[in-house]
PDB file of all heavy atoms in Angstrom:
ATOM      1  N   ALA A1050       4.077  11.226   8.420  1.00  0.00           N
ATOM      2  CA  ALA A1050       3.031  11.802   9.346  1.00  0.00           C
ATOM      3  C   ALA A1050       2.824  10.943  10.531  1.00  0.00           C
ATOM      4  O   ALA A1050       3.180   9.770  10.557  1.00  0.00           O
ATOM      5  CB  ALA A1050       1.719  12.044   8.539  1.00  0.00           C
ATOM      6  N   ILE A1051       2.224  11.580  11.626  1.00  0.00           N
ATOM      7  CA  ILE A1051       1.903  10.775  12.861  1.00  0.00           C
ATOM      8  C   ILE A1051       0.376  10.730  12.923  1.00  0.00           C
ATOM      9  O   ILE A1051      -0.316  11.729  12.896  1.00  0.00           O
ATOM     10  CB  ILE A1051       2.412  11.474  14.017  1.00  0.00           C
ATOM     11  CG1 ILE A1051       4.016  11.497  13.971  1.00  0.00           C
ATOM     12  CG2 ILE A1051       1.923  10.782  15.401  1.00  0.00           C
ATOM     13  CD1 ILE A1051       4.599  12.281  15.136  1.00  0.00           C
ATOM     14  N   PHE A1052      -0.128   9.531  12.995  1.00  0.00           N
ATOM     15  CA  PHE A1052      -1.584   9.230  13.189  1.00  0.00           C
ATOM     16  C   PHE A1052      -1.716   8.578  14.580  1.00  0.00           C
ATOM     17  O   PHE A1052      -1.114   7.607  14.847  1.00  0.00           O
ATOM     18  CB  PHE A1052      -2.259   8.239  12.261  1.00  0.00           C
ATOM     19  CG  PHE A1052      -2.256   8.821  10.764  1.00  0.00           C
ATOM     20  CD1 PHE A1052      -1.371   8.563   9.803  1.00  0.00           C
ATOM     21  CD2 PHE A1052      -3.348   9.553  10.398  1.00  0.00           C
ATOM     22  CE1 PHE A1052      -1.401   8.907   8.562  1.00  0.00           C
ATOM     23  CE2 PHE A1052      -3.437  10.029   9.096  1.00  0.00           C
ATOM     24  CZ  PHE A1052      -2.438   9.694   8.193  1.00  0.00           C
ATOM     25  N   GLU A1053      -2.455   9.271  15.503  1.00  0.00           N
ATOM     26  CA  GLU A1053      -2.693   8.557  16.728  1.00  0.00           C
ATOM     27  C   GLU A1053      -3.898   9.100  17.414  1.00  0.00           C
ATOM     28  O   GLU A1053      -4.360  10.251  17.333  1.00  0.00           O
ATOM     29  CB  GLU A1053      -1.519   8.616  17.664  1.00  0.00           C
ATOM     30  CG  GLU A1053      -1.061  10.109  17.966  1.00  0.00           C
ATOM     31  CD  GLU A1053       0.248   9.942  18.840  1.00  0.00           C
ATOM     32  OE1 GLU A1053       0.830   9.016  19.089  1.00  0.00           O
ATOM     33  OE2 GLU A1053       0.697  11.172  19.298  1.00  0.00           O
ATOM     34  N   PHE A1054      -4.609   8.170  18.228  1.00  0.00           N
ATOM     35  CA  PHE A1054      -5.759   8.422  18.861  1.00  0.00           C
ATOM     36  C   PHE A1054      -6.919   9.109  18.081  1.00  0.00           C
ATOM     37  O   PHE A1054      -7.711   9.866  18.628  1.00  0.00           O
ATOM     38  CB  PHE A1054      -5.426   9.306  20.190  1.00  0.00           C
ATOM     39  CG  PHE A1054      -4.587   8.702  21.157  1.00  0.00           C
ATOM     40  CD1 PHE A1054      -3.148   8.942  21.216  1.00  0.00           C
ATOM     41  CD2 PHE A1054      -5.003   7.741  22.014  1.00  0.00           C
ATOM     42  CE1 PHE A1054      -2.310   8.256  22.045  1.00  0.00           C
ATOM     43  CE2 PHE A1054      -4.254   7.054  22.968  1.00  0.00           C
ATOM     44  CZ  PHE A1054      -2.876   7.370  22.939  1.00  0.00           C
ATOM     45  N   ASN A1055      -6.994   8.694  16.852  1.00  0.00           N
ATOM     46  CA  ASN A1055      -8.202   9.038  16.074  1.00  0.00           C
ATOM     47  C   ASN A1055      -9.167   7.878  16.059  1.00  0.00           C
ATOM     48  O   ASN A1055      -8.841   6.783  16.035  1.00  0.00           O
ATOM     49  CB  ASN A1055      -7.808   9.364  14.628  1.00  0.00           C
ATOM     50  CG  ASN A1055      -6.754  10.482  14.581  1.00  0.00           C
ATOM     51  OD1 ASN A1055      -7.158  11.714  14.818  1.00  0.00           O
ATOM     52  ND2 ASN A1055      -5.544  10.147  14.107  1.00  0.00           N
ATOM     53  N   TYR A1056     -10.439   8.195  16.063  1.00  0.00           N
ATOM     54  CA  TYR A1056     -11.454   7.158  15.864  1.00  0.00           C
ATOM     55  C   TYR A1056     -11.293   6.615  14.463  1.00  0.00           C
ATOM     56  O   TYR A1056     -11.241   5.330  14.259  1.00  0.00           O
ATOM     57  CB  TYR A1056     -12.858   7.714  15.971  1.00  0.00           C
ATOM     58  CG  TYR A1056     -13.434   7.945  17.322  1.00  0.00           C
ATOM     59  CD1 TYR A1056     -13.020   8.991  18.140  1.00  0.00           C
ATOM     60  CD2 TYR A1056     -14.348   7.038  17.890  1.00  0.00           C
ATOM     61  CE1 TYR A1056     -13.532   9.191  19.351  1.00  0.00           C
ATOM     62  CE2 TYR A1056     -14.814   7.242  19.197  1.00  0.00           C
ATOM     63  CZ  TYR A1056     -14.391   8.252  19.954  1.00  0.00           C
ATOM     64  OH  TYR A1056     -14.951   8.453  21.208  1.00  0.00           O
ATOM     65  N   ILE A1057     -10.995   7.404  13.446  1.00  0.00           N
ATOM     66  CA  ILE A1057     -10.768   7.064  12.119  1.00  0.00           C
ATOM     67  C   ILE A1057      -9.591   7.952  11.564  1.00  0.00           C
ATOM     68  O   ILE A1057      -9.761   9.177  11.562  1.00  0.00           O
ATOM     69  CB  ILE A1057     -11.926   7.138  11.165  1.00  0.00           C
ATOM     70  CG1 ILE A1057     -13.109   6.301  11.746  1.00  0.00           C
ATOM     71  CG2 ILE A1057     -11.604   6.761   9.735  1.00  0.00           C
ATOM     72  CD1 ILE A1057     -14.419   6.547  11.000  1.00  0.00           C
TER      73      ILE A1057
END
Side-chain angles (χ1 to χ4, degrees):
I1051 297 172
F1052 293 97
E1053 56 186 7
F1054 294 101
N1055 301 292
Y1056 280 77
I1057 301 170

